[in-house]
Amino acid sequence: MQEMIDEGNVLLGKYHSKRDDWTVNYRVPLKTSRKLKTVWWQKAHDAGTHGTELLKKMLGQPGLFPFPKSLYAVRDCLAAVVRNRPNALIVDFFAGSGTTLHATCLLNAEDGGHRRSILVTNNEVSETLATKLYKQGIYQGAADFEKHGIFNEVTRPRCEAALRGTRPDGTPIPGKHLDSFGRAKGRPFSEGFEENLELFRIAYLDPDDVDLGQQFDAILPSLWLAAGGIGGREKDASKKPFSIPTASRYGVLFREAAFRKFKLEIAKRPEVTHVWLVTDSEEAFAEMRSVLPARLSVSMLYRDYLRNFRINTRQDL
């Protein structure tokens, strides 16, 4: 109580003559958060109107994806975790129609955040359509088969439409997002969002080719993402002694003989967070790593990369 008095949070109220006492008031800070209920029921969370119908509006075609989630239900789920984390990275391993990316952009637009999202999906074709295509002699891997996959037909065009504000045919998406009161008076769909979109294809690589340094361009996006996916990537980088792209957060040393110059350039780039050193020598790697700034995450190529993707292998303890 004395601490509350010292802080000015205790106030003397009225005197009650009959009781011969005083009312003592104390301030209680307003809660800025509340516990979420386990069951939500809001019109904005309706998957029919704000999932199925919204997807139809964005792509200009009905029935491309079964039961997409409400954009606003996903936004509110994300907000429950990252509302106070404006730089959060959100990963969705079952991207579906791409609602997570759309919801992330909407959340950023509402509070000026810089949240990023990584979506992962296959290009599965529905069983019914796949059967029809098989009867026509069109099989998985063929262009006429793959164009009907979830990624090519739904995920990619929906994400592009959300950001650009236009349907796949180039026409503006009609209507507006819901505002905080659930009214269709929010951000126009045709306005799109400021976020960028980059697409990657995940494929198997021959580990021997990776170990020999013949697949650097293929693994570069993984390194770039590991460093935050910020800035650009340098083409044909492996042909140079080292690469530290402008505005990026990573650097790669390809020639040990160029380490001294590489180290000097890294010292000029305090924003760099990740460094990869291409060497076959554990001793050389340890020596180079020991003289680089301690703030850096330093890895050995291609040893560490191959270890990260090693599966179903026995490890002796």
Side-chain angles (χ1 to χ4, degrees):
M1 177 64 75
Q2 186 60 52
E3 288 180 2
M4 295 179 67
I5 293 173
D6 294 340
E7 292 172 357
N9 290 326
V10 178
L11 303 174
L12 191 63
K14 294 181 178 180
Y15 171 72
H16 302 277
S17 57
K18 291 183 179 180
R19 299 199 307 260
D20 189 26
D21 61 18
W22 296 76
T23 297
V24 177
N25 301 308
Y26 60 94
R27 295 192 181 100
V28 177
L30 291 176
K31 292 184 178 180
T32 58
S33 63
R34 61 185 175 86
K35 183 180 292 185
L36 290 172
K37 295 182 178 180
T38 56
V39 177
W40 296 353
W41 179 250
Q42 298 179 26
K43 291 183 178 179
H45 294 163
D46 180 72
T49 303
H50 304 295
T52 302
E53 289 301 315
L54 175 58
L55 188 62
K56 175 184 175 182
K57 178 188 294 186
M58 296 182 68
L59 300 183
Q61 297 182 57
L64 292 177
F65 184 82
F67 309 116
K69 299 179 183 66
S70 163
L71 168 64
Y72 308 102
V74 175
R75 178 204 58 189
D76 292 347
C77 286
L78 295 180
V81 181
V82 300
R83 172 68 76 185
N84 297 323
R85 297 162 61 192
N87 297 311
L89 174 63
I90 299 160
V91 183
D92 184 351
F93 285 101
F94 299 92
S97 67
T99 309
T100 297
L101 179 139
H102 193 167
T104 302
C105 295
L106 186 58
L107 194 58
N108 284 338
E110 291 174 352
D111 64 7
H114 295 85
R115 301 171 188 85
R116 296 163 293 150
S117 61
I118 297 176
L119 274 57
V120 183
T121 183
N122 57 18
N123 195 39
E124 183 180 7
V125 175
S126 69
E127 185 177 354
T128 301
L129 180 56
T131 300
K132 292 180 179 179
L133 293 173
Y134 292 153
K135 291 180 179 179
Q136 298 173 25
I138 303 174
Y139 299 97
Q140 187 173 2
D144 287 339
F145 185 96
E146 298 297 332
K147 70 180 182 181
H148 297 291
I150 182 176
F151 169 75
N152 285 326
E153 199 167 55
V154 182
T155 315
R156 176 174 184 166
R158 193 268 177 83
C159 291
E160 292 176 341
L163 269 58
R164 292 174 179 168
T166 58
R167 291 170 170 170
D169 63 5
T171 59
I173 302 171
K176 297 181 178 181
H177 291 87
L178 299 185
D179 62 14
S180 58
F181 297 100
R183 303 170 302 186
K185 297 182 178 181
R187 186 186 186 91
F189 289 108
S190 59
E191 191 173 324
F193 295 97
E194 297 180 0
E195 279 78 358
N196 297 311
L197 174 67
E198 188 156 6
L199 304 166
F200 299 100
R201 179 182 177 86
I202 300 176
Y204 291 102
L205 299 176
D206 187 321
D208 291 334
D209 289 342
V210 174
D211 196 29
L212 292 171
Q214 298 175 358
Q215 292 287 354
F216 180 77
D217 289 340
I219 72 171
L220 178 55
S222 297
L223 308 185
W224 177 71
L225 285 172
I230 298 172
R233 302 187 300 277
E234 192 172 10
K235 293 183 178 180
D236 299 322
S238 58
K239 296 179 180 179
K240 301 179 179 180
F242 59 82
S243 174
I244 314 174
T246 302
S248 69
R249 300 290 176 86
Y250 76 93
V252 182
L253 174 72
F254 296 101
R255 309 286 184 269
E256 291 182 41
F259 176 72
R260 179 173 296 180
K261 186 175 180 180
F262 176 75
K263 177 187 172 184
L264 292 174
E265 292 300 319
I266 287 291
K268 300 176 184 177
R269 298 281 300 277
E271 74 276 13
V272 171
T273 58
H274 289 65
V275 163
W276 283 271
L277 306 175
V278 178
T279 178
D280 294 327
S281 169
E282 299 272 357
E283 292 76 12
F285 170 73
E287 184 177 351
M288 290 187 289
R289 181 178 184 177
S290 67
V291 295
L292 286 171
R295 62 179 174 80
L296 295 172
S297 172
V298 184
S299 301
M300 178 177 172
L301 279 183
Y302 293 88
R303 181 202 66 181
D304 293 344
Y305 180 85
L306 292 171
R307 285 180 178 177
N308 286 339
F309 292 95
R310 184 177 298 166
I311 60 173
N312 298 330
T313 58
R314 178 178 177 181
Q315 296 184 6
D316 295 327
L317 300 179

Short mmCIF file of all heavy atoms in Angstrom, two decimals, residues 60-107:
data_model
loop_
_atom_site.label_atom_id
_atom_site.label_comp_id
_atom_site.label_asym_id
_atom_site.label_seq_id
_atom_site.Cartn_x
_atom_site.Cartn_y
_atom_site.Cartn_z
N GLY A 60 -12.00 -14.94 -59.82
CA GLY A 60 -12.95 -14.82 -60.92
C GLY A 60 -13.58 -16.12 -61.33
O GLY A 60 -14.28 -16.18 -62.35
N GLN A 61 -13.31 -17.21 -60.57
CA GLN A 61 -13.88 -18.52 -60.88
C GLN A 61 -14.34 -19.20 -59.61
O GLN A 61 -13.68 -19.08 -58.57
CB GLN A 61 -12.85 -19.42 -61.57
CG GLN A 61 -12.34 -18.93 -62.90
CD GLN A 61 -11.37 -19.94 -63.51
OE1 GLN A 61 -11.70 -21.11 -63.72
NE2 GLN A 61 -10.16 -19.48 -63.78
N PRO A 62 -15.43 -19.94 -59.67
CA PRO A 62 -15.89 -20.67 -58.49
C PRO A 62 -15.32 -22.08 -58.44
O PRO A 62 -14.85 -22.62 -59.46
CB PRO A 62 -17.41 -20.71 -58.69
CG PRO A 62 -17.56 -20.80 -60.18
CD PRO A 62 -16.43 -19.97 -60.75
N GLY A 63 -15.34 -22.68 -57.27
CA GLY A 63 -15.03 -24.10 -57.13
C GLY A 63 -13.60 -24.52 -57.34
O GLY A 63 -13.33 -25.71 -57.56
N LEU A 64 -12.65 -23.59 -57.26
CA LEU A 64 -11.25 -23.97 -57.49
C LEU A 64 -10.61 -24.61 -56.26
O LEU A 64 -9.62 -25.33 -56.39
CB LEU A 64 -10.43 -22.74 -57.89
CG LEU A 64 -10.76 -22.14 -59.27
CD1 LEU A 64 -9.93 -20.88 -59.50
CD2 LEU A 64 -10.51 -23.16 -60.38
N PHE A 65 -11.17 -24.33 -55.08
CA PHE A 65 -10.58 -24.87 -53.85
C PHE A 65 -11.69 -25.13 -52.85
O PHE A 65 -12.52 -24.25 -52.59
CB PHE A 65 -9.57 -23.88 -53.27
CG PHE A 65 -8.83 -24.39 -52.06
CD1 PHE A 65 -7.74 -25.22 -52.20
CD2 PHE A 65 -9.25 -24.05 -50.78
CE1 PHE A 65 -7.06 -25.70 -51.09
CE2 PHE A 65 -8.58 -24.52 -49.67
CZ PHE A 65 -7.48 -25.36 -49.83
N PRO A 66 -11.72 -26.34 -52.25
CA PRO A 66 -12.80 -26.66 -51.31
C PRO A 66 -12.55 -26.08 -49.92
O PRO A 66 -11.47 -26.25 -49.35
CB PRO A 66 -12.78 -28.19 -51.28
CG PRO A 66 -11.35 -28.55 -51.56
CD PRO A 66 -10.86 -27.50 -52.53
N PHE A 67 -13.52 -25.39 -49.39
CA PHE A 67 -13.52 -24.92 -48.00
C PHE A 67 -12.32 -24.07 -47.60
O PHE A 67 -11.62 -24.39 -46.64
CB PHE A 67 -13.66 -26.10 -47.05
CG PHE A 67 -14.79 -27.02 -47.39
CD1 PHE A 67 -14.54 -28.33 -47.76
CD2 PHE A 67 -16.11 -26.57 -47.35
CE1 PHE A 67 -15.58 -29.18 -48.09
CE2 PHE A 67 -17.15 -27.42 -47.67
CZ PHE A 67 -16.90 -28.73 -48.04
N PRO A 68 -12.02 -22.99 -48.31
CA PRO A 68 -10.96 -22.09 -47.82
C PRO A 68 -11.42 -21.41 -46.53
O PRO A 68 -12.60 -21.16 -46.32
CB PRO A 68 -10.81 -21.07 -48.96
CG PRO A 68 -12.15 -21.08 -49.64
CD PRO A 68 -12.65 -22.49 -49.54
N LYS A 69 -10.48 -21.11 -45.66
CA LYS A 69 -10.79 -20.47 -44.38
C LYS A 69 -11.17 -19.01 -44.59
O LYS A 69 -10.77 -18.39 -45.58
CB LYS A 69 -9.59 -20.56 -43.43
CG LYS A 69 -9.16 -21.97 -43.09
CD LYS A 69 -7.95 -21.93 -42.17
CE LYS A 69 -7.44 -23.33 -41.87
NZ LYS A 69 -6.89 -24.00 -43.08
N SER A 70 -11.88 -18.47 -43.63
CA SER A 70 -12.16 -17.04 -43.65
C SER A 70 -10.87 -16.27 -43.48
O SER A 70 -10.05 -16.57 -42.60
CB SER A 70 -13.12 -16.67 -42.52
OG SER A 70 -13.10 -15.28 -42.27
N LEU A 71 -10.67 -15.27 -44.31
CA LEU A 71 -9.48 -14.42 -44.22
C LEU A 71 -9.38 -13.79 -42.84
O LEU A 71 -8.28 -13.71 -42.26
CB LEU A 71 -9.58 -13.32 -45.29
CG LEU A 71 -8.57 -12.17 -45.18
CD1 LEU A 71 -7.15 -12.69 -45.37
CD2 LEU A 71 -8.90 -11.08 -46.21
N TYR A 72 -10.49 -13.40 -42.28
CA TYR A 72 -10.48 -12.67 -41.01
C TYR A 72 -10.32 -13.61 -39.81
O TYR A 72 -9.78 -13.20 -38.78
CB TYR A 72 -11.76 -11.84 -40.91
CG TYR A 72 -11.93 -10.99 -42.14
CD1 TYR A 72 -12.83 -11.35 -43.14
CD2 TYR A 72 -11.12 -9.86 -42.36
CE1 TYR A 72 -12.95 -10.60 -44.30
CE2 TYR A 72 -11.23 -9.12 -43.52
CZ TYR A 72 -12.14 -9.50 -44.49
OH TYR A 72 -12.23 -8.76 -45.65
N ALA A 73 -10.74 -14.85 -39.95
CA ALA A 73 -10.49 -15.83 -38.89
C ALA A 73 -8.99 -16.12 -38.80
O ALA A 73 -8.43 -16.21 -37.70
CB ALA A 73 -11.25 -17.12 -39.17
N VAL A 74 -8.33 -16.23 -39.95
CA VAL A 74 -6.88 -16.47 -39.97
C VAL A 74 -6.15 -15.24 -39.45
O VAL A 74 -5.20 -15.35 -38.67
CB VAL A 74 -6.40 -16.84 -41.38
CG1 VAL A 74 -4.88 -16.98 -41.41
CG2 VAL A 74 -7.04 -18.15 -41.84
N ARG A 75 -6.60 -14.07 -39.87
CA ARG A 75 -5.95 -12.83 -39.36
C ARG A 75 -6.04 -12.76 -37.85
O ARG A 75 -5.05 -12.43 -37.18
CB ARG A 75 -6.62 -11.61 -39.97
CG ARG A 75 -6.07 -10.28 -39.46
CD ARG A 75 -7.06 -9.15 -39.60
NE ARG A 75 -8.31 -9.42 -38.89
CZ ARG A 75 -9.39 -8.66 -38.99
NH1 ARG A 75 -9.38 -7.60 -39.77
NH2 ARG A 75 -10.49 -8.97 -38.33
N ASP A 76 -7.20 -13.06 -37.29
CA ASP A 76 -7.36 -12.98 -35.84
C ASP A 76 -6.56 -14.05 -35.12
O ASP A 76 -6.06 -13.82 -34.02
CB ASP A 76 -8.84 -13.10 -35.49
CG ASP A 76 -9.64 -11.88 -35.95
OD1 ASP A 76 -9.01 -10.87 -36.31
OD2 ASP A 76 -10.89 -11.96 -35.95
N CYS A 77 -6.42 -15.23 -35.73
CA CYS A 77 -5.56 -16.27 -35.14
C CYS A 77 -4.11 -15.81 -35.10
O CYS A 77 -3.41 -16.00 -34.10
CB CYS A 77 -5.68 -17.57 -35.95
SG CYS A 77 -7.22 -18.47 -35.72
N LEU A 78 -3.65 -15.21 -36.19
CA LEU A 78 -2.27 -14.71 -36.23
C LEU A 78 -2.09 -13.58 -35.23
O LEU A 78 -1.09 -13.53 -34.51
CB LEU A 78 -1.93 -14.21 -37.64
CG LEU A 78 -1.90 -15.25 -38.76
CD1 LEU A 78 -1.55 -14.59 -40.09
CD2 LEU A 78 -0.92 -16.37 -38.45
N ALA A 79 -3.07 -12.68 -35.17
CA ALA A 79 -2.97 -11.54 -34.27
C ALA A 79 -2.89 -11.98 -32.81
O ALA A 79 -2.24 -11.31 -32.00
CB ALA A 79 -4.16 -10.61 -34.47
N ALA A 80 -3.52 -13.10 -32.49
CA ALA A 80 -3.47 -13.59 -31.11
C ALA A 80 -2.05 -13.90 -30.67
O ALA A 80 -1.73 -13.87 -29.50
CB ALA A 80 -4.34 -14.85 -30.98
N VAL A 81 -1.17 -14.19 -31.64
CA VAL A 81 0.20 -14.57 -31.33
C VAL A 81 1.21 -13.47 -31.69
O VAL A 81 2.16 -13.23 -30.96
CB VAL A 81 0.58 -15.87 -32.06
CG1 VAL A 81 2.00 -16.30 -31.72
CG2 VAL A 81 -0.40 -16.98 -31.72
N VAL A 82 0.99 -12.78 -32.79
CA VAL A 82 2.00 -11.84 -33.28
C VAL A 82 1.52 -10.39 -33.33
O VAL A 82 2.14 -9.56 -33.97
CB VAL A 82 2.51 -12.25 -34.69
CG1 VAL A 82 3.12 -13.64 -34.65
CG2 VAL A 82 1.39 -12.19 -35.73
N ARG A 83 0.44 -10.08 -32.65
CA ARG A 83 -0.04 -8.69 -32.64
C ARG A 83 1.04 -7.74 -32.14
O ARG A 83 1.21 -6.64 -32.67
CB ARG A 83 -1.29 -8.57 -31.76
CG ARG A 83 -1.76 -7.16 -31.53
CD ARG A 83 -2.31 -6.52 -32.79
NE ARG A 83 -3.64 -7.03 -33.10
CZ ARG A 83 -4.31 -6.73 -34.19
NH1 ARG A 83 -3.76 -5.93 -35.10
NH2 ARG A 83 -5.52 -7.23 -34.42
N ASN A 84 1.79 -8.15 -31.13
CA ASN A 84 2.84 -7.30 -30.57
C ASN A 84 4.23 -7.68 -31.10
O ASN A 84 5.24 -7.32 -30.49
CB ASN A 84 2.82 -7.39 -29.05
CG ASN A 84 1.53 -6.87 -28.45
OD1 ASN A 84 0.98 -5.89 -28.95
ND2 ASN A 84 1.04 -7.51 -27.40
N ARG A 85 4.26 -8.39 -32.20
CA ARG A 85 5.54 -8.78 -32.81
C ARG A 85 5.51 -8.36 -34.28
O ARG A 85 5.26 -9.18 -35.16
CB ARG A 85 5.75 -10.29 -32.67
CG ARG A 85 5.87 -10.74 -31.20
CD ARG A 85 5.65 -12.23 -31.06
NE ARG A 85 6.63 -12.99 -31.80
CZ ARG A 85 6.52 -14.30 -32.03
NH1 ARG A 85 5.47 -14.97 -31.57
NH2 ARG A 85 7.44 -14.93 -32.71
N PRO A 86 5.75 -7.11 -34.57
CA PRO A 86 5.61 -6.58 -35.93
C PRO A 86 6.61 -7.13 -36.93
O PRO A 86 6.42 -6.95 -38.13
CB PRO A 86 5.79 -5.07 -35.75
CG PRO A 86 6.62 -4.94 -34.51
CD PRO A 86 6.16 -6.05 -33.61
N ASN A 87 7.65 -7.80 -36.45
CA ASN A 87 8.65 -8.36 -37.37
C ASN A 87 8.63 -9.89 -37.37
O ASN A 87 9.62 -10.53 -37.74
CB ASN A 87 10.05 -7.86 -36.99
CG ASN A 87 10.17 -6.34 -37.14
OD1 ASN A 87 9.80 -5.78 -38.16
ND2 ASN A 87 10.66 -5.68 -36.11
N ALA A 88 7.53 -10.47 -36.96
CA ALA A 88 7.44 -11.92 -36.85
C ALA A 88 7.55 -12.61 -38.22
O ALA A 88 7.19 -12.05 -39.25
CB ALA A 88 6.12 -12.31 -36.19
N LEU A 89 8.07 -13.83 -38.18
CA LEU A 89 8.11 -14.69 -39.36
C LEU A 89 7.09 -15.80 -39.16
O LEU A 89 7.17 -16.56 -38.20
CB LEU A 89 9.51 -15.28 -39.55
CG LEU A 89 9.65 -16.31 -40.69
CD1 LEU A 89 9.34 -15.66 -42.04
CD2 LEU A 89 11.05 -16.90 -40.71
N ILE A 90 6.13 -15.91 -40.06
CA ILE A 90 5.04 -16.87 -39.96
C ILE A 90 5.23 -17.95 -41.02
O ILE A 90 5.39 -17.64 -42.20
CB ILE A 90 3.69 -16.14 -40.17
CG1 ILE A 90 3.50 -15.09 -39.08
CG2 ILE A 90 2.53 -17.14 -40.17
CD1 ILE A 90 2.49 -14.02 -39.43
N VAL A 91 5.23 -19.20 -40.59
CA VAL A 91 5.45 -20.32 -41.52
C VAL A 91 4.21 -21.20 -41.56
O VAL A 91 3.70 -21.61 -40.52
CB VAL A 91 6.68 -21.15 -41.10
CG1 VAL A 91 6.94 -22.26 -42.11
CG2 VAL A 91 7.91 -20.27 -40.96
N ASP A 92 3.73 -21.47 -42.75
CA ASP A 92 2.55 -22.31 -42.96
C ASP A 92 2.95 -23.45 -43.89
O ASP A 92 3.17 -23.24 -45.08
CB ASP A 92 1.42 -21.48 -43.57
CG ASP A 92 0.13 -22.27 -43.73
OD1 ASP A 92 0.16 -23.50 -43.54
OD2 ASP A 92 -0.91 -21.66 -44.05
N PHE A 93 3.02 -24.66 -43.34
CA PHE A 93 3.46 -25.80 -44.13
C PHE A 93 2.33 -26.43 -44.95
O PHE A 93 2.57 -27.37 -45.71
CB PHE A 93 4.09 -26.86 -43.22
CG PHE A 93 5.47 -26.50 -42.75
CD1 PHE A 93 5.70 -26.00 -41.49
CD2 PHE A 93 6.55 -26.63 -43.61
CE1 PHE A 93 6.96 -25.65 -41.06
CE2 PHE A 93 7.84 -26.28 -43.20
CZ PHE A 93 8.04 -25.79 -41.93
N PHE A 94 1.12 -25.95 -44.76
CA PHE A 94 -0.01 -26.43 -45.55
C PHE A 94 -0.75 -25.21 -46.09
O PHE A 94 -1.78 -24.81 -45.58
CB PHE A 94 -0.93 -27.30 -44.68
CG PHE A 94 -0.24 -28.52 -44.13
CD1 PHE A 94 0.37 -28.48 -42.89
CD2 PHE A 94 -0.18 -29.70 -44.87
CE1 PHE A 94 1.02 -29.59 -42.38
CE2 PHE A 94 0.46 -30.81 -44.36
CZ PHE A 94 1.07 -30.77 -43.12
N ALA A 95 -0.18 -24.62 -47.14
CA ALA A 95 -0.60 -23.30 -47.60
C ALA A 95 -2.03 -23.25 -48.12
O ALA A 95 -2.69 -22.22 -48.03
CB ALA A 95 0.36 -22.80 -48.67
N GLY A 96 -2.52 -24.34 -48.69
CA GLY A 96 -3.89 -24.35 -49.21
C GLY A 96 -4.08 -23.27 -50.26
O GLY A 96 -3.34 -23.18 -51.24
N SER A 97 -5.07 -22.40 -50.02
CA SER A 97 -5.37 -21.36 -51.00
C SER A 97 -4.53 -20.11 -50.80
O SER A 97 -4.67 -19.14 -51.55
CB SER A 97 -6.86 -20.99 -50.94
OG SER A 97 -7.17 -20.37 -49.71
N GLY A 98 -3.67 -20.09 -49.78
CA GLY A 98 -2.80 -18.93 -49.55
C GLY A 98 -3.39 -17.90 -48.60
O GLY A 98 -2.93 -16.75 -48.56
N THR A 99 -4.39 -18.29 -47.80
CA THR A 99 -5.03 -17.34 -46.88
C THR A 99 -4.04 -16.77 -45.88
O THR A 99 -4.14 -15.61 -45.49
CB THR A 99 -6.19 -18.02 -46.14
OG1 THR A 99 -7.06 -18.65 -47.08
CG2 THR A 99 -6.98 -17.02 -45.32
N THR A 100 -3.06 -17.57 -45.45
CA THR A 100 -2.11 -17.10 -44.44
C THR A 100 -1.31 -15.90 -44.93
O THR A 100 -1.10 -14.93 -44.19
CB THR A 100 -1.15 -18.23 -44.03
OG1 THR A 100 -1.91 -19.29 -43.43
CG2 THR A 100 -0.12 -17.75 -43.04
N LEU A 101 -0.86 -15.94 -46.18
CA LEU A 101 -0.12 -14.79 -46.72
C LEU A 101 -1.02 -13.56 -46.78
O LEU A 101 -0.62 -12.46 -46.39
CB LEU A 101 0.43 -15.12 -48.10
CG LEU A 101 1.21 -13.97 -48.77
CD1 LEU A 101 2.45 -14.49 -49.48
CD2 LEU A 101 0.32 -13.22 -49.78
N HIS A 102 -2.23 -13.74 -47.26
CA HIS A 102 -3.18 -12.64 -47.37
C HIS A 102 -3.45 -12.04 -45.99
O HIS A 102 -3.46 -10.82 -45.81
CB HIS A 102 -4.48 -13.15 -48.01
CG HIS A 102 -5.41 -12.06 -48.45
ND1 HIS A 102 -6.50 -12.29 -49.28
CD2 HIS A 102 -5.44 -10.73 -48.17
CE1 HIS A 102 -7.13 -11.15 -49.49
NE2 HIS A 102 -6.51 -10.19 -48.82
N ALA A 103 -3.64 -12.90 -44.99
CA ALA A 103 -3.92 -12.43 -43.63
C ALA A 103 -2.71 -11.71 -43.04
O ALA A 103 -2.87 -10.72 -42.31
CB ALA A 103 -4.31 -13.61 -42.75
N THR A 104 -1.52 -12.17 -43.34
CA THR A 104 -0.30 -11.51 -42.86
C THR A 104 -0.20 -10.10 -43.43
O THR A 104 0.11 -9.14 -42.72
CB THR A 104 0.95 -12.32 -43.25
OG1 THR A 104 0.86 -13.64 -42.71
CG2 THR A 104 2.21 -11.66 -42.72
N CYS A 105 -0.48 -9.97 -44.72
CA CYS A 105 -0.44 -8.65 -45.36
C CYS A 105 -1.49 -7.73 -44.76
O CYS A 105 -1.23 -6.53 -44.53
CB CYS A 105 -0.69 -8.80 -46.86
SG CYS A 105 0.59 -9.70 -47.76
N LEU A 106 -2.67 -8.26 -44.50
CA LEU A 106 -3.75 -7.45 -43.92
C LEU A 106 -3.38 -6.97 -42.52
O LEU A 106 -3.62 -5.81 -42.16
CB LEU A 106 -5.04 -8.27 -43.88
CG LEU A 106 -6.31 -7.53 -43.44
CD1 LEU A 106 -6.58 -6.34 -44.35
CD2 LEU A 106 -7.50 -8.48 -43.44
N LEU A 107 -2.77 -7.85 -41.75
CA LEU A 107 -2.34 -7.48 -40.40
C LEU A 107 -1.27 -6.40 -40.45
O LEU A 107 -1.29 -5.44 -39.66
CB LEU A 107 -1.82 -8.73 -39.68
CG LEU A 107 -1.63 -8.66 -38.17
CD1 LEU A 107 -2.93 -8.30 -37.48
CD2 LEU A 107 -1.12 -10.01 -37.65
#
